[in-house]
Amino acid sequence: MPRLIHFALLMALCTSAVAQEGDSPWSGDAELGFVASEGNTDAKSITANGSLIWEEGNWKNDSQMQTLNTESEGVRSAERYFVSNRLAYTISPHNYLFNYIAWEDDRFSGYKYRATIAFGYGRRIIEQPDMLWDAEIGPGYRKAEELSETGGATEEDGILRAASNFRWKISPTATFEQKLSVDHGAENTVSKSTTSIKTTVKGGVALKVSYMVHYTDNVPQDKVHADKQTTVTMVYSF
């Protein structure tokens, strides 16, 4: 699992470097933990995730990285890599414009890769000291290639992307978060739901439990529509 280890070390180094700056526009999380998957991937694995946020003035940039890689007796049973970047510009106290780019490689879903780009309008529906809710919508484009030894079919589709992010600070040490996204196109629709709760253990260290459902309407032959993933990770926030 060398790539997973390299990723975890890279996230730790980036986290340390940013945290030392103090009063920085940078913040984020570095996660390492256990995951149980059902669907196209049935495995128990180690996962490493990271988020890096830069916010200054009217601008906010949010980068997300996720990786899952499992081998058992020399046979790889799970391999997933996901990277996204979302840039937003606030045009008024509760309204913003956004640009979203994502790339996913999940060999056990039947796709060699899936790339998405979208842009549009977002609005902060709720803004309270203990609760935030953002929703956004806009047009985009998606390209995906099916996995095949002889060269898989390529899907290209104009999409309408809708997304929601709800965060509720239940107590001084516990935070609930619900993320939803739907990329709807004429050829295919891909939906993703992630529900999580994070509890602070001490300082910047927390325990996080999350449940993700990734649903694809049209899938390659012999693949299921829904991938489900339950994850327990230790999180270092800065």
Side-chain angles (χ1 to χ4, degrees), residues 62-195:
D62 184 352
S63 300
Q64 302 285 331
M65 295 156 280
Q66 301 170 3
T67 183
L68 172 68
N69 200 317
T70 300
E71 290 185 9
S72 177
E73 298 180 354
V75 178
R76 184 168 295 170
S77 58
E79 183 179 11
R80 179 184 298 124
Y81 304 97
F82 176 81
V83 179
S84 70
N85 192 81
R86 175 180 165 278
L87 179 64
Y89 179 78
T90 301
I91 54 177
S92 69
H94 296 285
N95 302 280
Y96 61 91
L97 303 176
F98 76 90
N99 172 253
Y100 175 82
I101 301 174
W103 177 84
E104 181 180 24
D105 180 346
D106 184 356
R107 301 302 173 91
F108 287 80
S109 70
Y111 286 94
K112 185 176 181 180
Y113 71 87
R114 181 184 285 135
T116 304
I117 183 170
F119 60 92
Y121 164 75
R123 180 170 176 80
R124 175 150 291 181
I125 300 172
I126 297 176
E127 184 171 17
Q128 298 178 2
D130 61 347
M131 189 179 296
L132 294 175
W133 183 18
D134 292 337
E136 52 194 44
I137 190 168
Y141 167 81
R142 180 179 60 228
K143 184 175 181 180
E145 182 181 338
E146 291 187 13
L147 187 62
S148 172
E149 294 181 358
T150 58
T154 299
E155 298 177 2
E156 297 186 63
D157 208 1
I159 62 170
L160 179 66
R161 176 176 174 81
S164 168
N165 186 8
F166 175 77
R167 185 183 298 123
W168 175 27
K169 193 171 180 60
I170 303 171
S171 72
T173 59
T175 302
F176 170 85
E177 188 168 23
Q178 175 67 58
K179 293 183 178 181
L180 295 169
S181 67
V182 178
D183 297 337
H184 174 71
E187 300 295 329
N188 211 343
T189 297
V190 179
S191 307
K192 188 174 181 179
S193 168
T194 304
T195 306

